[in-house]
Amino acid sequence: MDTTIITNNFKSEEYFINMGPQHPATHGVLRLLLTIDGEIIKKVEPDLGYIHRSIEKMCERDSYQQIVHLTDRMDYLSSHINNEAVCLTVENALQVEVPERVKVIRTIIDELTRIASHTLWWGVMGMDVGALTTYFYGFRDREMINDIFEETCGARLTMNYNIPGGLMFDIHPNFVKRTKEFIAHFKTKLPEYDTLLTGNIIFQKRMKGVGILTKEDAISFGASGPVGRGSGYSCDVRRHHPYSAYDRVNFNEILKTEGDSFARYQIRILEMWESMSIIEQLIDNIPEGDYKVATNAVIKLPEGEFYQKVETARGELGVYIISTGTKNPYRVKFRSPGFSNLSLLNHIAVGGKIGDLVATMATLDLVIPDIDR
Amino acid sequence: MGINNTPEIPADFPGKVIPAGNGANVIVTSLDQIINWGRSNSLWSLYFGTSCCAIEMMQTGAAKHDYSRFGFEVARPSPRQADLIIIAGTIVNKMAPVLRRLYDQMAEPKYVIAMGACAISGGPFFYNSYSVVKGADHVIPVDVYVPGCPPRPEALLEGMLMLQAKIRTESMKNKIFPIDGFDEGL
Amino acid sequence: MTNEALQNLISSWIPDPIAIGLEFTEEKSQFLNITVQPEQLHQLMTQLKSNSETNFDYLFCLSGVDWGKELGVVYHLESTTHRHIIVVKVKTEDRENPNFDTVCDIWYTAEFHEREVFDFFGIKFNNHPNLKRLFLTEEWDGFPLRKDYVDEINMVIK
């Protein structure tokens, strides 16, 4: 019997698919237009604007104390650090020196916010690659931090504790005790995270070698935070342009050179250990003093331009205020870390599979209202 | 439950008030009771969170305040498998058609909870913003409003339980779909 | 490098700074500000990045500003090796059809930032690979962050 071999010329065409605004793995309302060939990605184009709330335009009609309230909602997982950025800009412009007590308390609450943001990132990251247990573990620890914030600042998520000139009210008497209890508790829990996820062979195979970013590309794309540090680019604002009490604590800046998703993952876990060490250095020696400096009820900045950088849990946030001497700013621009981190998605996801895209996006740690402002 | 279910309507209220429970009478037949019991105790919600309130919704689903003990077992990613949308976050002009399409894709009976100040009326973004929809009920009809910025998990749980109480007063005979006449502006 | 040394170095590249409209100022700002004409923008930026003594390889902020009469763009540059910061500004009086040269061949991050400036101010960038609106829908009329933007329907002014 003859066998005939039929060769079809399959013309493989590119297929266009929409990873829509409502999707469990995009961490918010981000629409990705994917051009794929089978399972390999040819091009990723983000479509933004689904949560664009025109914060920059609103700031032109608000007073400086009201702008602080709006920055809470931009990157809501590190809301205290966002507030601090605006307050530091205004204080530097007015040449006001806040008391030492304020600086130390701001730094402690900054680091607690960073731990809260990283535990949530870890919980949701496990969910994205398929491990649902991590969601519950991450949120369980975050609840303890939320309770500490609620007792001192008044709210769990959008704190508004900073004002230009200091803090809104003094810390609660239980703050120091509860923070120490939390640190002691969390030190026993963080190795559990490693046991559960980091050493898992399936997780490592999904993360190693995926989404590689070189150091020159990281600098050129403006990557900052753990994304930049995963490629060996030293970009920690707390080290290079210190603010608040960061110039008097010892901490390591963690750098890895591989540039893949597993390196970015490890950096965030190690950053949680570093944050705990910073809190331990400061929590016992909070200086006595006032909790704020009196400023005018109506704040008017002198004419000129002012810029302040801070390190949020996602990277480098910049606040740029142009003032003409009136009580409202002339122009406010927020340089958000997620915006630059998102722009490199096309560069690092091309050539991989769709599953790799989901894993890479989870390690970029994007919060979409931060990008859309 | 400690909730007063007969609110007073001010004389200059500009809309038409549909009594809760789709206009049911006080007497609910026993067939209705069984059906409403089944519906109210197994509402599965859709993954729809746009901004900060989504984090509080996720906290409500996590281990400390758990909404699955009331029947809201899993959150479904696809609208065709969900009964409930919890609108957690601000709705923007660009997102409004997407929300409407998701609501249309859900199968009857479907319910909506508006969570947080942004979904109720635009929230802190009401003044001076050119792109925020001042309230999600300009887009789809809402059953329960939960105020707060963001509301505590306990507040969201109370809103969900209020919705369950509202479903228990429905009747199969006099059914009113809230979407009827919505686009014409009732 | 201090602001003085930077100013001397950059002026030494150009024979006659006043003639081409290059201005240095340090008042009302923490950093050294350079105001440059649109025609010299791309060349100055390339030199700022490639010269090893300045080595400005990190563009960390690109903002559009409506100065009232003119429209402009402000670039904040930093060097990762020397850790100095400089600000470059460029302005145009043409409000109907403003355009500048793009810098996204020098720093990749400028691609998204320039799309955002086009979306909000209407400033076009020559040789940009993909100049479309980023945040607002394609059919949106007008440029919201300009000072003369009026929107009766959506905005509730307070």
Side-chain angles (χ1 to χ4, degrees), chain A residues 9-81:
Chain A
N9 33 344
F10 280 123
K11 199 169 55 146
S12 74
E13 289 179 352
E14 290 180 346
Y15 188 64
F16 172 75
I17 197 171
N18 192 20
M19 214 162 135
Q22 186 260 338
H23 194 281
T26 53
H27 302 285
V29 275
L30 171 67
R31 178 177 174 221
L32 293 175
L33 286 86
L34 305 174
T35 311
I36 53 179
D37 172 21
E39 185 90 5
I40 312 281
I41 296 182
K42 289 279 166 67
K43 185 170 156 200
V44 177
E45 194 182 318
D47 184 12
L48 307 172
Y50 287 94
I51 187 74
H52 171 67
R53 295 177 280 196
S54 58
I55 290 184
E56 291 181 0
K57 182 82 179 178
M58 287 169 74
C59 285
E60 293 174 9
R61 285 188 163 263
D62 280 344
S63 68
Y64 290 96
Q65 292 97 328
Q66 288 171 322
I67 295 178
V68 176
H69 172 83
L70 284 177
T71 54
D72 256 348
R73 272 100 185 142
M74 265 174 18
D75 175 7
Y76 40 79
L77 293 175
S78 32
S79 50
H80 188 265
I81 310 178

Side-chain angles (χ1 to χ4, degrees), chain A residues 104-124:
Chain A
V104 171
I105 293 178
R106 274 182 180 171
T107 310
I108 296 176
I109 301 190
D110 269 357
E111 294 304 315
L112 279 175
T113 314
R114 199 182 309 271
I115 298 178
S117 171
H118 285 329
T119 49
L120 190 146
W121 160 81
W122 184 82
V124 176

